Amino acid sequence: MKLLFVFIPLLIGTGTVFGQVKSSQYGGAGTAGRSAASGLNWFAGAGIGAQVYFGDHDKQLSLGKRLAPSFDISGGKWLNSSFGVRAGLSGFKMKGLTQNRSHSTGEVFDASRSLEKQSFNFLYAHADLLFNWTNDIYGGYDADRVYHIIPYAGIGWATGLDKPSANNLSPNIGVLQSWKLSANLDFTLDVRGNLLGDGFDGEKGGRNFEGVLATQVGLNYNFR
């Protein structure tokens, strides 16, 4: 969590540079850049969905059986119609397979390979730099625009909540899509992938990285 106090100022500083370049296109609050008059441009959102973990033995288990619930809460600020920053907290549960009984549920999957089903909880605190591609390509903010596509990249800190616990610095990339429901409210679809070090699931298998892919639907409130 302490790392966020380093990441967020860095992201805001980076975004401010972009904001100076495109200040004439300044849009305003929230995912769509809503209220230039207020100068607030803050937003907050929440989402729920599913995520899948990519560990050493997980490919032996079908994707559907590895899906686990996820959540995300976040808040941020648009610096202009194209660039914004946000900080958030996500996570919940992971499912997979283990060969050394780390986070084992006790259910045997394949006795011949000593594989058991695995489940553990984790949290991921992240800070992201957002790029509103729709506003940028179409020349700036439009109050009547309904749809926005927003690629982003960021970095965060992942923490396992069950023993054996693990902590990893974790970069992420993703795409946020939003649909305007009202002047202040958007429906969102967020797809994000982030990398973790080998052994986050309690088992080192010689791979350079493990990872998470999460998809969430939610609502975003834009402060005017």
Side-chain angles (χ1 to χ4, degrees), residues 19-83:
Q20 291 172 349
V21 173
K22 294 200 173 193
S23 59
S24 63
Q25 297 181 5
Y26 189 80
T31 299
R34 295 295 169 82
S35 176
S38 71
L40 292 176
N41 311 302
W42 293 93
F43 60 91
I48 58 173
Q51 58 195 359
V52 62
Y53 191 79
F54 296 90
D56 295 307
H57 306 289
D58 294 341
K59 65 182 180 181
Q60 309 297 330
L61 189 62
S62 67
L63 186 65
K65 292 182 179 180
R66 287 158 53 199
L67 288 177
S70 69
F71 76 92
D72 186 86
I73 54 174
S74 63
K77 179 178 175 66
W78 284 97
L79 305 166
N80 57 41
S81 64
S82 296
F83 290 94

Side-chain angles (χ1 to χ4, degrees), residues 83-116:
F83 290 94
V85 291
R86 74 173 179 182
L89 182 68
S90 64
F92 192 21
K93 188 177 290 293
M94 295 294 190
K95 294 181 180 180
L97 295 175
T98 178
Q99 200 171 47
N100 69 355
R101 298 187 58 84
S102 292
H103 308 299
S104 173
T105 65
E107 183 179 352
V108 176
F109 174 74
D110 187 340
S112 66
R113 287 182 285 183
S114 301
L115 291 175
E116 297 182 7

Side-chain angles (χ1 to χ4, degrees), residues 141-186:
Y141 169 68
D142 182 348
D144 296 324
R145 187 169 293 137
V146 173
Y147 173 74
H148 293 258
I149 183 167
I150 305 166
Y152 62 87
I155 195 164
W157 189 254
T159 299
L161 301 180
D162 303 316
K163 293 182 179 181
S165 60
N167 296 280
N168 275 166
L169 189 66
S170 176
N172 74 76
I173 58 171
V175 177
L176 174 67
Q177 298 179 75
S178 74
W179 291 263
K180 178 180 176 182
L181 299 178
S182 70
N184 295 89
L185 195 64
D186 299 324

Side-chain angles (χ1 to χ4, degrees), residues 106-139:
E107 183 179 352
V108 176
F109 174 74
D110 187 340
S112 66
R113 287 182 285 183
S114 301
L115 291 175
E116 297 182 7
K117 290 189 176 180
Q118 178 186 65
S119 177
F120 63 97
N121 298 308
F122 85 110
L123 289 175
Y124 178 54
H126 57 94
D128 307 320
L129 177 64
L130 312 175
F131 173 62
N132 192 317
W133 181 83
T134 307
N135 278 351
D136 190 77
I137 198 170
Y138 290 110

